[in-house]
Amino acid sequence: MNECYDLIIVGTSFAGSFFLLRYLERAPPQARVLVLERGRVDSKVWQLQHRAPSSIPGEQVYVNRTPLKLWLTSPGFGGNSNCWWAGAMRMMPNDFKLKSRYGVGADWPLEYTDLEQHYGTVEQVMLVSGPADVPMPRSRPFPLPPHRFSTPDVLLKARFPDSWFHPTTARASVATGKRGVCCASGICELCPIDAKFTIQNGLAHIYEDPRVTLRLESPVDSVDISAGVATGVNYIRSGRGERANGDLVALAASALFNPHIMLRSGIHHRLLGRRLHDQMEVDVCVDLHGVRAYDGSTVITGNGYMFYDGEHRRDHSACMVETWNSPFTYQPAALRADRGRWNERQYLRFIFDDLPREDNTVTVSASDPRLAETTFNGYSDYARRAAERIPQMVDKLALALPIERIEGIELASSSGHIQGTVVMGDDPTSSVVDRHLVHHQIRNLLVLGAGAFPTATPILPTLTLSALSLWAADHQLGQGVGGGAVGKRAR
Amino acid sequence: MMRRRDILLAFAGLSLTGLVSSRLLRASNEEGVVAVVVKRLKYLKLDPEGVRNFARDYIAGGIIPGIKLRVVSAAGQLYMNLPLSGINVLTNGIRHGEERIVTKYLLSSDFFSSGADESKTVHYVRLFDALRGCCNPFARPVVETAGSVQFAPSGTVKEKGGV
Ligand SMILES: Cc1cc2nc3c(=O)[nH]c(=O)nc-3n(C[C@H](O)[C@H](O)[C@H](O)COP(=O)(O)OP(=O)(O)OC[C@H]3O[C@@H](n4cnc5c(N)ncnc54)[C@H](O)[C@@H]3O)c2cc1C
């Protein structure tokens, strides 16, 4: 006999967990929730022993047709929260209005003010650290104090007081009682002292709720749709096909796997699986004269917004700059060999938003439909035009930093910030889901996560996608508690 | 006349190639690492055995393609005397490669933990591994006095819920 649930969630990372968190706050005691997770629980101890965030390698879940462009994924309980670097900033108000403000890309179907309270809640759950003076409007202070600047950050702040800030991050700046205090080891994907927020260290308790049934090692193949209604999901368990019935289905399997599951379910839309994108990131290594770096308290110690918002966005991307304070893993030539000048070096990361291209795609692999398949044909000209300006940007930063020379410039192969494949909007012809992440036609199917982002921004996506999950849950609960879909079975 | 010069040049080229390739065959990756450390940190007092042990562990980690290191080792004195102060694609590339090794060596030694004192002999401790945690010698915490909270693995999540 098939099992019946009020809600089925696919995936246990940020998108699924923040939705579940809000749902459990409001759902009735007899509500039944099934959570299906493809992977296992790879505990912190397991991860450190095996030097990997997941026991399932990426190639077991997707085929990359353009391997030079990586899409990093850590299948398992907590998903990419296990390997993320915990940069947790809000988007800027104008990021939601790129089209109406600057005539490019698309507007989001919601505004900064719609998410403001949700941003605050997510920051509280993640115990985000940040300064009082960030450029994004806020209604409450950050839960944790800001990290310590490095010496180059101090100089940048002095020269650019309105555009250089401490990072906002879920890497703990002070003792939280549970997580370690970040000490800038530079290996966040496996953080050896568990200083960053993860689902395992911060939200695992919601899966203990008696209303929740958690199934691990249960990859979902498809959603059953009948007469425009999602009736349940098909998944694999111990090698056998299983089915569960649900009143509401929430896909939270990421911008790679949500479209994959939808396409396998026979859901089609001109844009489904298209517009796969992340940011374009360029690392610039500069040698400094007489200024020592790496002496801040976390891996990225500063964020620069001087190249971010403004009329230039009509022509080329916004850019956020990061100062890397502990580049020992990814920037292996962190130190100079020159006598006494070992740390007179700074890695700067320039992060540009990319305008989504429809020819960058996630599809179902023809040779093995259980696998997603990615194709990346390149960044937009909009992002490339911005990256060409890096020399001028470095010149501007040189007003604050005594830059001796540019030692290296390198394009990063992946930012890991997978976005855009299940775009949201008000118009069903140009979007797959609506402003509450509900499928335009299948009204009891939610598609959570950064796949919904109409445009990328230089801001890292996770705080926003987590806030969007709260926003989507609120909408469902608003309907459900008063007589809508959620909790129907429970009542 | 022209042909004669070409033939001589070809012979010279062949014997140079032969010399380099026979040196390449004999050269070892470890010697390449030692050469880089000794050359770039010649202003420090290095413990020679420690440098060799570092080179052994570094090569075992497979961090840099062996052929580059063998070229360095095969070049011998030529490499040791090569000035790399110029700024061009070639010198930048070589300098960057060297600094990868120097970075790893300095972090693997007691140099920074002994206060970066150039008058003391530098000893190799063990190959630097960021996974050991809190090993960034320059980082300063937000609250100087507070020690970082020790990581104690919490209980793991288990699958739950009946059918
Ligand atoms: C190295 C790295 C560093 C990053 N650093 C940052 C950062 O500093 N700041 C930031 O904002 N973002 C960062 N990101 C991006 C961030 O990790 C993602 O934005 C975020 O994890 C997306 O959350 P999600 O819940 O949508 O999906 P994911 O975290 O990808 O989780 C998807 C979940 O679904 C499960 N799943 C997938 N397919 C199925 C299926 N068919 N059936 C059942 N379950 C399934 C997976 O196992 C997983 O649990 C980083 C990413 C990487 C790789």
Side-chain angles (χ1 to χ4, degrees):
Chain A
M1 202 187 75
N2 294 329
E3 314 156 63
C4 299
Y5 294 91
D6 297 292
L7 167 65
I8 300 175
I9 300 179
V10 181
T12 55
S13 187
F14 298 99
S17 298
F18 277 95
F19 186 85
L20 180 61
L21 174 73
R22 180 54 53 88
Y23 180 90
L24 293 174
E25 281 167 14
R26 308 252 186 97
Q30 40 324 2
R32 293 191 70 202
V33 183
L34 174 66
V35 182
L36 295 167
E37 167 52 54
R38 181 205 293 278
R40 313 176 177 95
V41 179
D42 296 317
S43 69
K44 192 81 208 169
V45 173
W46 184 96
Q47 292 174 32
L48 293 175
Q49 272 167 1
H50 293 83
R51 305 178 85 89
S54 166
S55 53
I56 302 178
E59 46 297 358
Q60 270 183 32
V61 290
Y62 84 102
V63 180
N64 189 345
R65 294 193 52 184
T66 36
L68 278 180
K69 178 70 188 165
L70 296 172
W71 305 100
L72 300 170
T73 175
S74 299
F77 182 78
N80 276 9
S81 79
N82 293 306
C83 68
W84 80 317
W85 280 52
M89 54 286 275
R90 300 175 176 202
M91 283 169 47
M92 296 272 203
N94 278 347
D95 291 336
F96 293 84
K97 304 177 199 159
L98 210 52
K99 183 76 182 174
S100 49
R101 196 73 183 69
Y102 302 115
V104 290
D107 281 353
W108 286 45
L110 63 158
E111 299 200 3
Y112 181 88
T113 45
D114 293 318
L115 287 189
E116 205 283 325
Q117 286 300 322
H118 301 303
Y119 272 139
T121 306
V122 177
E123 286 164 351
Q124 192 58 48
V125 173
M126 291 185 179
L127 294 177
V128 170
S129 137
D133 62 349
V134 281
M136 302 80 171
R138 317 179 43 82
S139 57
R140 47 180 139 167
F142 284 103
L144 298 193
H147 271 282
R148 182 193 278 266
F149 271 155
S150 67
T151 303
D153 290 309
V154 172
L155 297 174
L156 286 157
K157 182 73 180 172
R159 184 69 178 73
F160 305 108
D162 300 328
S163 46
W164 199 265
F165 303 98
H166 295 83
T168 57
T169 169
R171 301 182 295 269
S173 56
V174 294
T176 63
K178 222 170 165 192
R179 289 159 33 195
V181 178
C182 179
C183 54
S185 296
I187 187 151
C188 304
E189 75 277 22
L190 288 170
C191 182
I193 57 158
D194 216 18
K196 66 175 183 183
F197 168 86
T198 65
I199 299 300
Q200 289 201 37
N201 69 23
L203 276 180
H205 63 91
I206 60 176
Y207 294 89
E208 300 293 321
D209 189 292
R211 291 167 289 181
V212 177
T213 298
L214 170 64
R215 294 265 152 80
L216 300 167
E217 299 183 70
S218 301
V220 169
D221 280 342
S222 59
V223 181
D224 274 340
I225 318 284
S226 172
V229 175
T231 56
V233 301
N234 300 298
Y235 64 103
I236 307 289
R237 185 146 169 91
S238 309
R240 289 202 359 234
E242 302 272 351
R243 186 177 192 282
N245 293 327
D247 290 341
L248 182 67
V249 176
L251 297 180
S254 83
L256 276 191
F257 301 108
N258 286 341
H260 178 240
I261 294 169
M262 293 167 79
L263 290 167
R264 292 189 76 196
S265 311
I267 301 170
H268 292 286
H269 187 284
R270 187 178 61 82
L271 293 175
L272 180 60
R274 296 189 173 273
R275 312 169 71 261
L276 172 68
H277 67 289
D278 62 357
Q279 290 103 347
M280 184 176 187
E281 298 186 340
V282 182
D283 291 328
V284 177
C285 173
V286 294
D287 281 351
L288 304 175
H289 188 84
V291 169
R292 297 185 174 193
Y294 308 143
D295 54 348
S297 63
T298 186
V299 64
I300 291 154
T301 41
N303 286 143
Y305 293 94
M306 59 278 279
F307 312 115
Y308 197 112
D309 205 22
E311 287 304 309
H312 68 269
R313 294 181 87 171
R314 292 183 183 281
D315 173 71
H316 58 268
S317 304
C319 174
M320 182 180 68
V321 188
E322 293 178 336
T323 31
W324 281 55
N325 182 59
S326 167
F328 302 126
T329 319
Y330 293 100
Q331 320 293 4
L335 302 182
R336 299 170 65 166
D338 311 323
R339 179 176 217 158
R341 306 186 66 189
W342 305 288
N343 51 344
E344 292 185 12
R345 175 165 283 178
Q346 178 67 61
Y347 277 90
L348 301 161
R349 176 164 282 187
F350 293 82
I351 306 182
F352 302 95
D353 55 327
D354 192 21
L355 278 186
R357 284 174 47 164
E358 290 188 19
D359 58 343
N360 294 333
T361 58
V362 184
T363 53
V364 178
S365 163
S367 54
D368 183 351
R370 287 169 307 168
L371 303 181
E373 185 169 289
T374 58
T375 304
F376 185 74
N377 290 307
Y379 295 103
S380 63
D381 290 340
Y382 184 71
R384 287 173 185 281
R385 277 199 296 277
E388 280 165 13
R389 286 160 197 273
I390 287 178
Q392 288 103 292
M393 295 181 184
V394 173
D395 279 350
K396 181 152 184 179
L397 298 179
L399 297 173
L401 299 177
I403 294 177
E404 212 169 57
R405 65 172 166 223
I406 296 183
E407 183 61 27
I409 301 186
E410 209 173 323
L411 181 66
S413 67
S414 170
S415 67
H417 309 143
I418 312 167
Q419 306 173 41
T421 51
V422 192
V423 60
M424 69 169 150
D426 292 328
D427 178 358
T429 60
S430 57
S431 59
V432 182
V433 294
D434 69 12
R435 65 202 302 262
H436 296 112
L437 308 185
V438 179
H439 189 272
H440 279 302
Q441 283 81 34
I442 308 162
R443 300 303 293 165
N444 66 337
L445 176 65
L446 279 143
V447 192
L448 308 172
F453 288 14
T455 47
T457 75
I459 297 294
L460 317 184
T462 306
L463 194 82
T464 299
L465 76 87
S466 303
L468 273 176
S469 281
L470 296 178
W471 150 268
D474 270 359
H475 175 70
Q476 287 298 324
L477 292 155
Q479 286 183 349
V481 171
V486 173
K488 199 170 72 187
R489 187 173 303 279
R491 281 194 309 276
Chain B
M1 195 57 191
M2 201 54 182
R3 274 187 61 165
R4 198 179 133 87
R5 209 187 67 189
D6 284 352
I7 290 166
L8 281 175
L9 275 177
F11 265 115
L14 269 182
S15 44
L16 188 67
T17 319
L19 181 73
V20 170
S21 32
S22 76
R23 288 192 71 140
L24 257 182
L25 283 178
R26 279 183 282 124
S28 84
N29 296 343
E30 289 180 29
E31 283 165 21
V33 172
V34 170
V36 169
V37 172
V38 168
K39 178 184 175 193
R40 296 308 311 271
L41 297 177
K42 57 176 178 270
Y43 53 85
L44 293 179
K45 287 186 197 158
L46 303 175
D47 146 37
E49 199 187 330
V51 175
R52 275 196 302 278
N53 290 342
F54 164 74
R56 181 199 59 209
D57 297 347
Y58 187 82
I59 294 304
I63 299 163
I64 275 195
I67 186 66
K68 290 188 184 169
L69 292 168
R70 280 205 296 283
V71 169
V72 165
S73 164
Q77 277 309 310
L78 187 63
Y79 166 70
M80 295 305 268
N81 297 324
L82 193 68
L84 290 173
S85 48
I87 310 278
N88 57 52
V89 178
L90 181 68
T91 55
N92 275 2
I94 297 175
R95 203 174 42 241
H96 218 66
E98 289 176 339
E99 282 171 344
R100 287 176 70 143
I101 296 175
V102 167
T103 297
K104 194 82 170 178
Y105 174 74
L106 286 175
L107 294 171
S108 304
S109 74
D110 62 357
F111 180 61
F112 292 117
S113 58
S114 308
D117 182 346
E118 293 178 24
S119 67
K120 289 189 190 156
T121 302
V122 183
H123 297 102
Y124 169 59
V125 180
R126 64 177 166 218
L127 202 62
F128 175 79
D129 179 5
L131 259 197
R132 276 189 233 282
C134 297
C135 47
N136 177 343
F138 311 107
R140 290 175 307 153
V142 173
V143 184
E144 295 274 13
T145 47
S148 65
V149 171
Q150 283 300 304
F151 165 58
S154 49
T156 52
V157 180
K158 296 206 175 53
E159 188 174 288
K160 62 169 269 291
V163 175

